[in-house]
């Protein structure tokens, strides 16, 4: 096996984290759709798909490295939000937390001198720059719109 049991266990844990993020984005998308904010709903539904793809990258890596993927239980996502800002803030906070999780995996790979795992994780390091930046931009646009979130929908229609 090309990875230690510890790396395998932590990567399996990250599968759960990524799937949990996917579920949370689905809940955010449902909130926006219920509010009639279909542009935002579409963005967050797409994010849910991306998070699932991230989980599957870990699954494939574990298999390729000779390990056994495991799918941990996924906690129920938060399903209610007080506002569009609240929902977007949760998404942003989730991406910051995921970045910290990826950094911890990188540190683990480096501490074990596992260059295969370290190389694999570099895609996620780069991806988190885009994820955090996009989440921050969405949050700031929603904040600027204030109570008139329909302005965000108009903005999205022109971007």
């Amino acid at each position: 096996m090309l990875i230690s049991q510890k790396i395998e266990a932590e990567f399996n844990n990250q599968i759960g984290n990524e799937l949990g993020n996917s579920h949370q984005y689905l809940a955010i998308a449902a909130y926006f759709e219920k509010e009639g904010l279909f542009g935002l709903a579409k963005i967050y539904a797409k994010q849910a798909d991306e998070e699932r793809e991230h989980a599957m990258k870990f699954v494939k890596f574990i298999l390729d490295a000779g390990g056994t993927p495991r799918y941990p239980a996924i906690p129920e996502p938060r399903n209610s939000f007080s506002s569009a800002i609240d929902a977007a803030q949760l998404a942003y906070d989730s991406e910051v937390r995921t970045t910290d999780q990826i950094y911890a995996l990188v540190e683990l790979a480096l501490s074990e001198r596992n260059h295969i795992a370290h190389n694999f994780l570099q895609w996620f390091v780069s991806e988190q720059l885009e994820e955090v930046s996009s989440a921050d931009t969405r949050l700031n646009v929603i904040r600027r719109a204030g109570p008139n979130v329909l302005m965000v929908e108009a903005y999205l229609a022109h971007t």
Side-chain angles (χ1 to χ4, degrees), residues 46-47 50-51 54 95 99 123-138:
K46 183 175 182 253
Q47 277 299 129
E50 286 184 19
E51 297 301 322
H54 295 170
E95 291 302 341
T99 300
W123 181 88
F124 286 93
V125 170
S126 297
E127 178 69 3
Q128 283 311 116
L129 172 61
E130 187 271 327
E131 296 284 0
V132 172
S133 177
S134 295
D136 185 50
T137 298
R138 284 190 299 272

Side-chain angles (χ1 to χ4, degrees), residues 7 22 29 32 34 37 58 60 65 74 77 80-81 91 100 135-136:
I7 288 177
S22 179
F32 282 122
K34 184 177 180 194
L37 301 167
F58 278 98
K60 177 75 168 123
I74 308 300
S80 61
F81 306 94
D100 291 341
D136 185 50

